[in-house]
Amino acid sequence: MPNRKLVAGNWKMHGTAAGIAEIVRIASAVPPEVDVALCLPATLIERAARAVPSFAIGAQDVHSEAGGAFTGDVCAAQLHDAGASIVIVGHSERRDLHREDDAVVRSKAAAALVAGLRVILCVGETLEVRDAGEAIATVTAQLDASLPPAPVEAVAYEPIWAIGTGRIPSLEDIGAMHAALRGRLVAAHGDRGHSVRLLYGGSVKPANAAAIFAVSDVDGALVGGASLTASDFLPIVEAAAQA
Ligand code: 13P
């Protein structure tokens, strides 16, 4: 049986209090057939969770330690306390700009699971790796090394060259990558690996969402720019509900 679709928005470093109205607009229009979450800047999590208490609010990163002398960081229990129920780990912008390697991502994912947060773990290749024909080998190795012992909620395949560029891989390439990732999840977790949702991320828009959701083993999307407004995000959510 196919997994229920999950469409998660990643607001990155966008949004202030003025964005709460947009979050309310999105949360109040979610169809029952699909799961939706918004991963917000840490500063907005508590306000958003109060504004839309039955909607899934998430974070974009978490520290691997449960607390301590880590200036500027936020631990999983604090995110949970603020009202987050889900968190992204291993986004390529964290891996690249903050030098987070697979071991760090794995420990962040494990810490989030301990605190009761659902985890969206991101993997993805550079254009050089794609052009060299090494995308599947590279990304599956990244997944193997980043997976915590217990199953995560979702793995997001986000080719780095597709993020914010308007370019996406061919539907065949998305399908081949997701099939390979499914194989690794089943190798790691047995049958339970089938129910880890595989999200595609990178330039998902209202115009391409339905075609992406029709690809086998695509269980949803992780959406950046198009998650910032209800007018862009809700058609993507609707496409997932129809898929
Ligand atoms: P865009 O949808 O803006 O390409 O961003 C994708 C992304 O990085 C989501 O995490």
PDB file of all heavy atoms in Angstrom, residues 8-10 12 88 91-93 122 158 162-166 201-205 222-227, ligand 1:
ATOM      1  N   ALA A   8       6.010  18.949   3.266  1.00  0.00           N
ATOM      2  CA  ALA A   8       6.600  19.795   4.305  1.00  0.00           C
ATOM      3  C   ALA A   8       7.181  21.042   3.655  1.00  0.00           C
ATOM      4  O   ALA A   8       7.850  20.961   2.618  1.00  0.00           O
ATOM      5  CB  ALA A   8       7.681  19.025   5.056  1.00  0.00           C
ATOM      6  N   GLY A   9       6.919  22.174   4.260  1.00  0.00           N
ATOM      7  CA  GLY A   9       7.517  23.424   3.813  1.00  0.00           C
ATOM      8  C   GLY A   9       8.734  23.743   4.652  1.00  0.00           C
ATOM      9  O   GLY A   9       8.759  23.471   5.857  1.00  0.00           O
ATOM     10  N   ASN A  10       9.760  24.275   4.007  1.00  0.00           N
ATOM     11  CA  ASN A  10      10.970  24.711   4.704  1.00  0.00           C
ATOM     12  C   ASN A  10      11.118  26.210   4.448  1.00  0.00           C
ATOM     13  O   ASN A  10      11.464  26.612   3.338  1.00  0.00           O
ATOM     14  CB  ASN A  10      12.180  23.933   4.162  1.00  0.00           C
ATOM     15  CG  ASN A  10      13.493  24.427   4.719  1.00  0.00           C
ATOM     16  OD1 ASN A  10      13.523  25.269   5.630  1.00  0.00           O
ATOM     17  ND2 ASN A  10      14.590  23.929   4.178  1.00  0.00           N
ATOM     18  N   LYS A  12      13.267  28.192   5.645  1.00  0.00           N
ATOM     19  CA  LYS A  12      14.659  28.668   5.709  1.00  0.00           C
ATOM     20  C   LYS A  12      14.711  29.953   6.551  1.00  0.00           C
ATOM     21  O   LYS A  12      13.968  30.065   7.523  1.00  0.00           O
ATOM     22  CB  LYS A  12      15.215  28.837   4.292  1.00  0.00           C
ATOM     23  CG  LYS A  12      15.021  27.543   3.473  1.00  0.00           C
ATOM     24  CD  LYS A  12      15.797  27.484   2.187  1.00  0.00           C
ATOM     25  CE  LYS A  12      15.543  26.134   1.515  1.00  0.00           C
ATOM     26  NZ  LYS A  12      16.305  25.971   0.269  1.00  0.00           N
ATOM     27  N   ILE A  88      13.803  19.104  10.493  1.00  0.00           N
ATOM     28  CA  ILE A  88      14.668  18.746   9.373  1.00  0.00           C
ATOM     29  C   ILE A  88      16.095  18.582   9.905  1.00  0.00           C
ATOM     30  O   ILE A  88      16.562  19.422  10.675  1.00  0.00           O
ATOM     31  CB  ILE A  88      14.663  19.874   8.304  1.00  0.00           C
ATOM     32  CG1 ILE A  88      13.265  20.045   7.700  1.00  0.00           C
ATOM     33  CG2 ILE A  88      15.692  19.601   7.211  1.00  0.00           C
ATOM     34  CD1 ILE A  88      13.128  21.323   6.854  1.00  0.00           C
ATOM     35  N   HIS A  91      19.978  19.095   6.051  1.00  0.00           N
ATOM     36  CA  HIS A  91      19.741  19.866   4.819  1.00  0.00           C
ATOM     37  C   HIS A  91      21.084  20.241   4.195  1.00  0.00           C
ATOM     38  O   HIS A  91      22.044  20.529   4.908  1.00  0.00           O
ATOM     39  CB  HIS A  91      18.927  21.119   5.132  1.00  0.00           C
ATOM     40  CG  HIS A  91      18.405  21.780   3.891  1.00  0.00           C
ATOM     41  ND1 HIS A  91      19.204  22.574   3.103  1.00  0.00           N
ATOM     42  CD2 HIS A  91      17.193  21.739   3.285  1.00  0.00           C
ATOM     43  CE1 HIS A  91      18.485  22.994   2.056  1.00  0.00           C
ATOM     44  NE2 HIS A  91      17.265  22.495   2.154  1.00  0.00           N
ATOM     45  N   SER A  92      21.149  20.289   2.881  1.00  0.00           N
ATOM     46  CA  SER A  92      22.439  20.553   2.215  1.00  0.00           C
ATOM     47  C   SER A  92      22.998  21.918   2.597  1.00  0.00           C
ATOM     48  O   SER A  92      24.218  22.108   2.596  1.00  0.00           O
ATOM     49  CB  SER A  92      22.298  20.443   0.703  1.00  0.00           C
ATOM     50  OG  SER A  92      21.367  21.375   0.213  1.00  0.00           O
ATOM     51  N   GLU A  93      22.110  22.861   2.945  1.00  0.00           N
ATOM     52  CA  GLU A  93      22.635  24.173   3.363  1.00  0.00           C
ATOM     53  C   GLU A  93      23.330  24.071   4.714  1.00  0.00           C
ATOM     54  O   GLU A  93      24.271  24.821   4.995  1.00  0.00           O
ATOM     55  CB  GLU A  93      21.486  25.199   3.361  1.00  0.00           C
ATOM     56  CG  GLU A  93      21.084  25.558   1.930  1.00  0.00           C
ATOM     57  CD  GLU A  93      19.628  25.953   1.731  1.00  0.00           C
ATOM     58  OE1 GLU A  93      18.957  26.311   2.709  1.00  0.00           O
ATOM     59  OE2 GLU A  93      19.172  25.888   0.572  1.00  0.00           O
ATOM     60  N   CYS A 122      17.668  14.796   5.271  1.00  0.00           N
ATOM     61  CA  CYS A 122      17.916  15.170   3.871  1.00  0.00           C
ATOM     62  C   CYS A 122      19.227  14.591   3.341  1.00  0.00           C
ATOM     63  O   CYS A 122      20.236  14.555   4.052  1.00  0.00           O
ATOM     64  CB  CYS A 122      18.008  16.689   3.742  1.00  0.00           C
ATOM     65  SG  CYS A 122      16.542  17.558   4.293  1.00  0.00           S
ATOM     66  N   GLU A 158      17.063  15.649  -1.969  1.00  0.00           N
ATOM     67  CA  GLU A 158      17.142  17.009  -2.496  1.00  0.00           C
ATOM     68  C   GLU A 158      18.441  17.187  -3.274  1.00  0.00           C
ATOM     69  O   GLU A 158      19.493  17.480  -2.672  1.00  0.00           O
ATOM     70  CB  GLU A 158      17.095  18.031  -1.352  1.00  0.00           C
ATOM     71  CG  GLU A 158      15.821  17.999  -0.547  1.00  0.00           C
ATOM     72  CD  GLU A 158      15.533  19.353   0.106  1.00  0.00           C
ATOM     73  OE1 GLU A 158      16.391  19.896   0.807  1.00  0.00           O
ATOM     74  OE2 GLU A 158      14.426  19.868  -0.132  1.00  0.00           O
ATOM     75  N   ALA A 162      19.218  21.334  -7.742  1.00  0.00           N
ATOM     76  CA  ALA A 162      17.807  21.615  -8.037  1.00  0.00           C
ATOM     77  C   ALA A 162      17.202  22.590  -7.018  1.00  0.00           C
ATOM     78  O   ALA A 162      16.075  23.046  -7.204  1.00  0.00           O
ATOM     79  CB  ALA A 162      17.002  20.313  -8.042  1.00  0.00           C
ATOM     80  N   ILE A 163      17.944  22.891  -5.949  1.00  0.00           N
ATOM     81  CA  ILE A 163      17.392  23.742  -4.885  1.00  0.00           C
ATOM     82  C   ILE A 163      17.443  25.200  -5.302  1.00  0.00           C
ATOM     83  O   ILE A 163      18.527  25.746  -5.561  1.00  0.00           O
ATOM     84  CB  ILE A 163      18.163  23.513  -3.558  1.00  0.00           C
ATOM     85  CG1 ILE A 163      17.936  22.085  -3.058  1.00  0.00           C
ATOM     86  CG2 ILE A 163      17.737  24.537  -2.514  1.00  0.00           C
ATOM     87  CD1 ILE A 163      18.749  21.720  -1.828  1.00  0.00           C
ATOM     88  N   GLY A 164      16.284  25.804  -5.411  1.00  0.00           N
ATOM     89  CA  GLY A 164      16.198  27.231  -5.713  1.00  0.00           C
ATOM     90  C   GLY A 164      16.613  27.606  -7.126  1.00  0.00           C
ATOM     91  O   GLY A 164      16.813  28.785  -7.424  1.00  0.00           O
ATOM     92  N   THR A 165      16.716  26.615  -7.998  1.00  0.00           N
ATOM     93  CA  THR A 165      17.222  26.898  -9.353  1.00  0.00           C
ATOM     94  C   THR A 165      16.146  26.813 -10.426  1.00  0.00           C
ATOM     95  O   THR A 165      16.376  27.215 -11.566  1.00  0.00           O
ATOM     96  CB  THR A 165      18.318  25.887  -9.740  1.00  0.00           C
ATOM     97  OG1 THR A 165      17.741  24.572  -9.701  1.00  0.00           O
ATOM     98  CG2 THR A 165      19.504  25.960  -8.797  1.00  0.00           C
ATOM     99  N   GLY A 166      14.996  26.213 -10.096  1.00  0.00           N
ATOM    100  CA  GLY A 166      13.970  25.989 -11.113  1.00  0.00           C
ATOM    101  C   GLY A 166      14.233  24.754 -11.959  1.00  0.00           C
ATOM    102  O   GLY A 166      13.439  24.411 -12.824  1.00  0.00           O
ATOM    103  N   GLY A 201      12.690  16.923  -2.955  1.00  0.00           N
ATOM    104  CA  GLY A 201      12.799  18.365  -2.726  1.00  0.00           C
ATOM    105  C   GLY A 201      13.747  19.002  -3.724  1.00  0.00           C
ATOM    106  O   GLY A 201      14.744  18.398  -4.142  1.00  0.00           O
ATOM    107  N   GLY A 202      13.440  20.233  -4.110  1.00  0.00           N
ATOM    108  CA  GLY A 202      14.247  20.975  -5.083  1.00  0.00           C
ATOM    109  C   GLY A 202      13.359  21.496  -6.183  1.00  0.00           C
ATOM    110  O   GLY A 202      12.963  20.747  -7.081  1.00  0.00           O
ATOM    111  N   SER A 203      13.007  22.798  -6.079  1.00  0.00           N
ATOM    112  CA  SER A 203      12.200  23.464  -7.112  1.00  0.00           C
ATOM    113  C   SER A 203      10.841  22.797  -7.352  1.00  0.00           C
ATOM    114  O   SER A 203      10.364  22.757  -8.485  1.00  0.00           O
ATOM    115  CB  SER A 203      12.985  23.578  -8.425  1.00  0.00           C
ATOM    116  OG  SER A 203      14.128  24.405  -8.236  1.00  0.00           O
ATOM    117  N   VAL A 204      10.232  22.273  -6.273  1.00  0.00           N
ATOM    118  CA  VAL A 204       8.845  21.790  -6.395  1.00  0.00           C
ATOM    119  C   VAL A 204       7.926  23.008  -6.457  1.00  0.00           C
ATOM    120  O   VAL A 204       8.015  23.913  -5.623  1.00  0.00           O
ATOM    121  CB  VAL A 204       8.452  20.876  -5.213  1.00  0.00           C
ATOM    122  CG1 VAL A 204       6.983  20.456  -5.335  1.00  0.00           C
ATOM    123  CG2 VAL A 204       9.362  19.652  -5.163  1.00  0.00           C
ATOM    124  N   LYS A 205       7.086  23.038  -7.473  1.00  0.00           N
ATOM    125  CA  LYS A 205       6.195  24.177  -7.731  1.00  0.00           C
ATOM    126  C   LYS A 205       4.800  23.646  -8.036  1.00  0.00           C
ATOM    127  O   LYS A 205       4.645  22.454  -8.366  1.00  0.00           O
ATOM    128  CB  LYS A 205       6.698  24.976  -8.953  1.00  0.00           C
ATOM    129  CG  LYS A 205       8.143  25.451  -8.864  1.00  0.00           C
ATOM    130  CD  LYS A 205       8.336  26.519  -7.815  1.00  0.00           C
ATOM    131  CE  LYS A 205       9.817  26.895  -7.694  1.00  0.00           C
ATOM    132  NZ  LYS A 205      10.143  27.596  -6.460  1.00  0.00           N
ATOM    133  N   LEU A 222       9.488  18.108  -0.013  1.00  0.00           N
ATOM    134  CA  LEU A 222      10.024  19.134   0.881  1.00  0.00           C
ATOM    135  C   LEU A 222      10.183  20.382   0.013  1.00  0.00           C
ATOM    136  O   LEU A 222      10.917  20.374  -0.972  1.00  0.00           O
ATOM    137  CB  LEU A 222      11.363  18.689   1.478  1.00  0.00           C
ATOM    138  CG  LEU A 222      12.002  19.633   2.503  1.00  0.00           C
ATOM    139  CD1 LEU A 222      11.059  19.936   3.670  1.00  0.00           C
ATOM    140  CD2 LEU A 222      13.295  19.017   3.058  1.00  0.00           C
ATOM    141  N   VAL A 223       9.462  21.423   0.386  1.00  0.00           N
ATOM    142  CA  VAL A 223       9.284  22.575  -0.490  1.00  0.00           C
ATOM    143  C   VAL A 223       9.895  23.813   0.164  1.00  0.00           C
ATOM    144  O   VAL A 223       9.565  24.137   1.305  1.00  0.00           O
ATOM    145  CB  VAL A 223       7.771  22.825  -0.735  1.00  0.00           C
ATOM    146  CG1 VAL A 223       7.570  23.967  -1.717  1.00  0.00           C
ATOM    147  CG2 VAL A 223       7.090  21.553  -1.224  1.00  0.00           C
ATOM    148  N   GLY A 224      10.774  24.498  -0.568  1.00  0.00           N
ATOM    149  CA  GLY A 224      11.371  25.723  -0.054  1.00  0.00           C
ATOM    150  C   GLY A 224      10.561  26.938  -0.459  1.00  0.00           C
ATOM    151  O   GLY A 224       9.521  27.251   0.127  1.00  0.00           O
ATOM    152  N   GLY A 225      11.007  27.632  -1.498  1.00  0.00           N
ATOM    153  CA  GLY A 225      10.414  28.906  -1.894  1.00  0.00           C
ATOM    154  C   GLY A 225       8.897  28.890  -2.046  1.00  0.00           C
ATOM    155  O   GLY A 225       8.214  29.831  -1.616  1.00  0.00           O
ATOM    156  N   ALA A 226       8.376  27.811  -2.613  1.00  0.00           N
ATOM    157  CA  ALA A 226       6.933  27.762  -2.859  1.00  0.00           C
ATOM    158  C   ALA A 226       6.112  27.459  -1.601  1.00  0.00           C
ATOM    159  O   ALA A 226       4.891  27.377  -1.676  1.00  0.00           O
ATOM    160  CB  ALA A 226       6.617  26.742  -3.955  1.00  0.00           C
ATOM    161  N   SER A 227       6.790  27.299  -0.445  1.00  0.00           N
ATOM    162  CA  SER A 227       6.025  27.075   0.793  1.00  0.00           C
ATOM    163  C   SER A 227       5.760  28.376   1.549  1.00  0.00           C
ATOM    164  O   SER A 227       5.088  28.377   2.579  1.00  0.00           O
ATOM    165  CB  SER A 227       6.769  26.098   1.718  1.00  0.00           C
ATOM    166  OG  SER A 227       7.919  26.698   2.290  1.00  0.00           O
TER     167      SER A 227
HETATM  168  P1  13P B   1      13.252  25.171  -3.231  1.00  0.00           P
HETATM  169  O1  13P B   1      11.887  24.509  -3.202  1.00  0.00           O
HETATM  170  O2  13P B   1      13.185  26.645  -3.014  1.00  0.00           O
HETATM  171  O3  13P B   1      14.055  24.757  -4.413  1.00  0.00           O
HETATM  172  O4  13P B   1      14.038  24.615  -1.936  1.00  0.00           O
HETATM  173  C1  13P B   1      14.097  23.252  -1.710  1.00  0.00           C
HETATM  174  C2  13P B   1      14.644  23.030  -0.352  1.00  0.00           C
HETATM  175  O5  13P B   1      15.813  23.261  -0.087  1.00  0.00           O
HETATM  176  C3  13P B   1      13.713  22.533   0.669  1.00  0.00           C
HETATM  177  O6  13P B   1      14.387  22.094   1.804  1.00  0.00           O
END
